[in-house]
Amino acid sequence: MNSAFLSAFNWYGLLMATGIVLGVIGAYFAAKHRGLEGDVIIDMIIICLPCAILGARIYHVVFDVLAGNEWTFAEFCGFTDGEFKGLAGLAIYGAIIGAIGGGVIFHFWKTRKKLPENKRVTFWQIVDVGFALIILGQAIGRWGNIANSEGYGDIITNPAWQWKPFGMIGRDGEWHYSIPLYESIWDIVGFGILLYLYLGRFKSFDGFVFACYGIYYGIGRAWIEAIRVDDVLMLGGARISVVVSILFIIMGVAIIVTHIIRAKKNNKKPFILIDQSKLNNDYFGYETSKLAHPMPDIVFFKDRKKVKTKEEVIVDESGVAIKVETEQSSDDPDTIGDSKTKPAKTKDRKSEIVGAEEDYEDKWDD
């Protein structure tokens, strides 16, 4: 594989697609852990992915126009001189805002009156599972920026650090610090934190993971954008991404504070980082979560009953021995869980069956 191929290949598109696929697969299985059916994720991606792409494009174009540049509708759609050149110019914050908008659409679709209540999905449940995994896609996608040598910081003066991915060559031909590498590392750590908050032992109200995403990603993106030197969207002397990052931090804090205030007003405990085994309706928001009322096809692992097959022989009126298989749950005293306390009963039952078969054979021989 030569350098010409490596430079010509669309690594950005491949890595973005990889991030999306891994995010969808991860969300599919993570959703079930919270009481959501996996099919919900498939429906969600059909709505939210196009909204995210559209949002990313609109965000970039709008702020670029506000900065004094001109765009035609054809250029907005990726066409230059009648030829499709691709959507060069997609802003991650626009994608996030678009995905949130898709979550609103999905919420109203899934809560429409035709669906039974246990099949409905709220906006907060969607954004929780979505943003617990979307940050993984962001971490992978940033390597596409590294491949394209875009999003860099100050010049690297020490030759010992002039190598990829730590650095990248800018448009001025100089080596610069690789800002996407910093964000990728930040996002990977955040992915571990958010996934634990979503799947771990200690659970929180619907919307908590999304709020934590806003706070965590907002903090990281604010300082990362502050040290970036290339292609920075500006408005009135302010860096747009830094301003939006601060707004995301405020949003996340506001969601959590609002939950605490509402819990106190309803004389309930805040539902934040509570051991799942201790959850009950005393915690505000638990009664409406899928943890309390999972979707019909979901059975939590801890609630699955052990099932065993018990063989039983019955003699009919003609003296013919019939073998019958029956299933019993763990609530039955003769199940696996209680087998240690019932050996005598099992043995007696077998002797009764053998006795019945012997009586039948004697009658037949006579």
Side-chain angles (χ1 to χ4, degrees):
M1 196 177 291
N2 56 42
S3 59
F5 173 79
L6 290 173
S7 60
F9 188 79
N10 188 357
W11 291 102
Y12 185 83
L14 175 64
L15 290 165
M16 287 296 294
T18 301
I20 292 171
V21 170
L22 291 179
V24 172
I25 294 173
Y28 181 88
F29 292 102
K32 291 186 175 183
H33 191 83
R34 290 284 292 226
L36 293 167
E37 294 171 355
D39 292 346
V40 169
I41 303 303
I42 305 302
D43 296 337
M44 180 187 73
I45 201 66
I46 291 173
I47 295 175
C48 293
L49 182 58
C51 290
I53 296 173
L54 182 61
R57 189 62 167 173
I58 292 174
Y59 184 100
H60 175 82
V61 172
V62 166
F63 285 109
D64 201 42
V65 169
L66 292 174
N69 297 314
E70 295 183 356
W71 285 75
T72 64
F73 181 73
E75 290 173 338
F76 173 84
C77 297
F79 290 89
T80 302
D81 298 328
E83 185 179 353
F84 183 72
K85 299 293 186 179
L87 299 177
L90 296 172
I92 186 61
Y93 264 133
I96 293 172
I97 295 170
I100 293 173
V104 173
I105 296 172
F106 187 85
H107 164 77
F108 286 108
W109 176 46
K110 276 294 184 179
T111 55
R112 65 190 190 277
K113 293 182 179 180
K114 293 182 180 179
L115 283 175
E117 187 174 356
N118 59 357
K119 282 280 188 179
R120 299 176 187 177
V121 183
T122 69
F123 168 79
W124 298 114
Q125 291 162 359
I126 285 300
V127 293
D128 265 359
V129 65
F131 283 90
L133 275 299
I134 198 173
I135 196 169
L136 173 63
Q138 292 175 266
I140 296 172
R142 281 306 175 192
W143 284 83
N145 296 124
I146 295 173
N148 290 348
S149 294
E150 56 189 14
Y152 47 80
D154 290 333
I155 294 175
I156 301 175
T157 56
N158 186 349
W161 295 104
Q162 293 177 352
W163 48 271
K164 277 194 174 186
F166 183 80
M168 60 177 64
I169 299 177
R171 294 175 184 175
D172 55 4
E174 299 286 345
W175 278 94
H176 292 258
Y177 290 102
S178 180
I179 302 302
L181 176 63
Y182 302 162
E183 183 173 337
S184 180
I185 295 172
W186 181 266
D187 290 346
I188 289 173
V189 174
F191 168 66
I193 295 172
L194 294 176
L195 194 64
Y196 176 77
L197 293 176
Y198 191 75
L199 299 180
R201 175 181 175 183
F202 297 93
K203 298 294 193 295
S204 303
F205 66 91
D206 292 339
F208 180 76
V209 174
F210 174 62
C212 290
Y213 170 90
I215 296 170
Y216 181 87
Y217 185 72
I219 292 172
R221 189 63 187 271
W223 71 264
I224 287 171
E225 282 295 323
I227 61 176
R228 183 176 173 179
V229 299
D230 75 317
D231 297 333
V232 179
L233 290 175
M234 304 288 291
L235 184 62
R239 297 184 177 223
I240 299 301
S241 291
V242 174
V243 174
V244 176
S245 297
I246 294 172
L247 293 176
F248 264 67
I249 296 171
I250 294 172
M251 175 200 69
V253 173
I255 291 172
I256 296 173
V257 171
T258 300
H259 171 82
I260 295 173
I261 293 173
R262 293 183 64 194
K264 290 183 177 180
K265 285 184 177 180
N266 287 272
N267 296 320
K268 291 194 173 186
K269 303 174 185 177
F271 180 16
I272 299 176
L273 299 177
I274 306 301
D275 189 327
Q276 187 171 355
S277 63
K278 299 178 181 179
L279 285 174
N280 54 55
N281 289 341
D282 291 339
Y283 295 97
F284 182 71
Y286 171 70
E287 67 281 358
T288 59
S289 71
K290 291 301 180 186
L291 290 169
H293 306 287
M295 298 184 86
D297 296 339
I298 298 298
V299 178
F300 291 132
F301 181 79
K302 66 182 181 63
D303 295 329
R304 292 176 183 171
K305 296 180 178 180
K306 295 180 180 179
V307 177
K308 88 169 211 178
T309 300
K310 184 175 70 174
E311 295 183 358
E312 185 175 5
V313 177
I314 301 175
V315 179
D316 65 9
E317 296 178 353
S318 303
V320 179
I322 303 173
K323 180 181 178 182
V324 180
E325 291 186 354
T326 60
E327 291 186 351
Q328 293 181 325
S329 70
S330 59
D331 292 336
D332 193 300
D334 291 335
T335 56
I336 296 174
D338 295 327
S339 59
K340 293 182 180 179
T341 61
K342 297 293 181 181
K345 183 175 180 180
T346 303
K347 184 176 180 181
D348 292 343
R349 180 57 180 164
K350 287 183 178 178
S351 63
E352 290 176 5
I353 294 170
V354 173
E357 290 179 339
E358 289 177 351
D359 291 343
Y360 163 72
E361 291 174 355
D362 289 342
K363 291 179 181 178
W364 181 265
D365 291 338
D366 292 340

